[in-house]
């Protein structure tokens, strides 16, 4: 750097290296804490989204509907007058021809796989304990292609379930509550009090407590028989190559199939808003550290301007322009910002790594044994931008004040 203003800024900076060093330390801690906070909050959100997509698909197709419009007359050859009832759609529960719909959706490049599911309320009994469950009958091969069910096996074997017509897959939360284990016999009571014996072939864990506590999977034909829903599908999960396009694909599928379709963003809107609020709240709180560091830099540079009025006046008399004088103090702030951003980013990476190794035992909306973090360059970019803005604002006012000092009045001792 050959700028005279830069070299003078370094000399001024070294003259206040202790005070500016403390301010830089504040920026370092602020940037590091900001990165770690975003990594943690967004890590839990990403984990939740991936769990939802892996368990419930990108979108869900449910009840068939019929548009309630009535043709009155043809006013003109190409114009129809229509009247709509107050209820625009009449709904019919379930999907009557699921495999035909699967063939239709298979023509879309965005659709990876579909999984038809038969669902009904039932009770699970083991020993002297009974729990209400959501019994779900699945086509195992389709379900494995549509979801992450094969990766969620905690105990037991998916091959055992595949080859066992009376096999069942029980969530880890439910197994923990009822003290169930793989290989154990259980009884499932259907809606007409019909009781059947099943064997637990798989204990699965998605990571979402609410899902694992209520859903018990059996084979589709078995569920249809027990629930008395032959040739009936309650809903269908659809996996997309790009889950972010789920809302537009859901709207398109509704028009095509005349069945309700809900994207994962629509179904999880409430929980996603909670994660957004937590992330914003954490970012605001941690940003206060950077803001306080900015006040420290402002005070140090303001004091420097007051102490160096004669040096500034001499520089002005030597031909330095107002912009050159302002650049001296802006360069000081820039140096502090660079040091704060570089070392703060390193501290943020270190804190993120340490946080990811902290053991926890969360068993609420999510099940996890460690803090979940997300490594994203975007966190470092946002932290750097916030630090740069804070330091620039803190440096601008003293720099502007220094540039306005008049050399003649200062050297005569009358400058303010």
């Amino acid at each position: 750097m050959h700028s005279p203003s830069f070299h003078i800024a370094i000399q001024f900076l070294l003259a206040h290296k202790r005070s500016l060093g403390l301010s830089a330390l504040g920026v370092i801690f602020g940037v590091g804490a900001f990165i770690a906070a975003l990594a943690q909050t967004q890590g839990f959100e990403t984990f939740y989204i991936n769990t939802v997509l892996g368990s419930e698909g990108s979108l869900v197709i449910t009840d068939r509907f019929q548009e309630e419009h009535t043709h009155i007359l043809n006013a003109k050859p190409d114009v129809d007058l229509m009247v709509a009832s107050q209820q625009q759609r009449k709904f019919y529960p379930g999907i009557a021809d699921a495999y035909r719909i699967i063939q239709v959706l298979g023509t879309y490049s965005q659709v990876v796989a579909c999984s038809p599911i038969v669902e009904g309320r039932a009770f699970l009994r083991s020993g002297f304990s009974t729990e209400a469950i959501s019994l779900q009958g699945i086509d195992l091969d389709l379900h494995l292609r549509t979801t992450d069910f094969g990766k969620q096996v905690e105990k037991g074997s998916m091959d055992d379930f595949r080859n066992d017509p009376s096999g069942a897959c029980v969530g880890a939360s439910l197994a923990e509550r009822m003290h169930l284990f793989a290989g154990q016999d259980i009884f499932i009571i259907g809606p007409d009090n019909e009781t059947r014996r099943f064997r637990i072939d798989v204990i699965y864990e998605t990571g979402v407590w609410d899902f694992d506590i209520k859903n018990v999977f059996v084979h589709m034909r078995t569920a249809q028989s027990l629930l008395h829903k032959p040739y009936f599908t309650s809903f269908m999960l659809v996996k997309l190559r790009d889950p972010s396009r789920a809302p537009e694909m859901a709207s398109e599928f509704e028009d095509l199939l005349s069945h309700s379709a809900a994207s994962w963003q629509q179904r999880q809107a409430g929980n996603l808003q909670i994660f957004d609020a937590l992330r914003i709240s954490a970012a605001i709180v941690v940003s206060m550290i950077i803001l306080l560091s900015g006040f420290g830099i402002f005070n140090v540079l303001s004091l420097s301007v007051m102490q160096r009025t004669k040096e500034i006046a001499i520089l002005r008399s030597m031909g330095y322009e107002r912009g050159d004088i302002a650049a001296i103090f802006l360069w000081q702030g820039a140096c502090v910002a660079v040091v704060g951003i570089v070392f703060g980013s390193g501290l943020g990476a270190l804190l993120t790594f340490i946080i990811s190794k902290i053991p926890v035992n969360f068993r609420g909306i999510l099940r996890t044994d460690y803090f979940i973090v997300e490594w994203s360059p975007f966190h470092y970019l946002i932290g750097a931008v916030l630090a740069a803005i804070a330091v620039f604002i803190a440096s601008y006012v003293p720099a502007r004040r220094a540039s306005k000092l008049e050399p003649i009045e200062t050297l005569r001792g009358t400058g303010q």
Side-chain angles (χ1 to χ4, degrees), residues 10 40 45 61 75 99 102 138 153 229 283 318 369 374:
I10 296 298
Q40 178 186 335
E45 180 182 12
I61 297 176
Y99 288 93
I102 291 176
I138 60 174
V153 177
K229 296 179 177 181
M318 292 172 59
D369 296 320
E374 178 173 346

Side-chain angles (χ1 to χ4, degrees), residues 129-132 171-180 209 213 367:
S129 59
T130 302
E131 290 286 341
S173 300
L174 182 60
E176 183 179 340
R177 172 178 290 186
M178 299 187 68
H179 305 287
L180 305 176
W209 182 89
I213 197 67
R367 291 174 62 96

Side-chain angles (χ1 to χ4, degrees), residues 150-165:
K151 303 176 183 178
Q152 296 167 349
V153 177
E154 188 179 71
K155 297 178 182 177
S157 169
M158 197 62 72
D159 290 333
D160 291 342
F161 175 67
R162 182 190 302 275
N163 300 319
D164 185 2

Side-chain angles (χ1 to χ4, degrees), residues 5 14 64 79 109 140 143-144 169 178 189 205 212 224 227 295 299 357 409:
S5 297
L14 294 176
R64 180 172 65 91
V79 178
S109 60
L140 182 59
H143 199 68
L144 291 177
C169 303
M178 299 187 68
I189 306 169
E205 182 175 15
D212 297 346
Q224 288 175 330
L227 299 172
F295 280 118
N299 290 332
K357 300 301 179 182
E409 296 180 356

Side-chain angles (χ1 to χ4, degrees), residues 66-85:
Q66 181 179 358
E67 300 287 355
E68 298 235 321
H69 296 287
T70 304
H71 289 269
I72 299 179
L73 52 86
N74 292 329
K76 296 179 180 179
D78 297 328
V79 178
D80 289 339
L81 295 180
M82 306 177 69
V83 61
S85 64

Side-chain angles (χ1 to χ4, degrees), residues 25-48:
L25 196 62
V27 177
I28 292 172
F29 277 106
V31 172
F34 182 86
I35 292 171
L38 282 188
Q40 178 186 335
T41 54
Q42 192 161 345
F44 277 100
E45 180 182 12
T46 301
F47 174 75
Y48 181 78

Side-chain angles (χ1 to χ4, degrees), residues 1 6 24 49 69 104 125 140 159 189 240 318-319 321 328 351 388:
M1 184 65 65
F6 176 76
I49 291 174
H69 296 287
V104 173
R125 190 179 72 217
L140 182 59
D159 290 333
I189 306 169
L240 301 178
M318 292 172 59
E321 302 292 337
I328 293 174
L351 290 176

Side-chain angles (χ1 to χ4, degrees), residues 102-123:
I102 291 176
Q103 290 179 348
V104 173
L105 295 183
T107 61
Y108 282 80
S109 60
Q110 270 294 318
V111 176
V112 177
C114 303
S115 174
I117 296 179
V118 179
E119 181 185 42
R121 298 301 174 188
F123 291 91

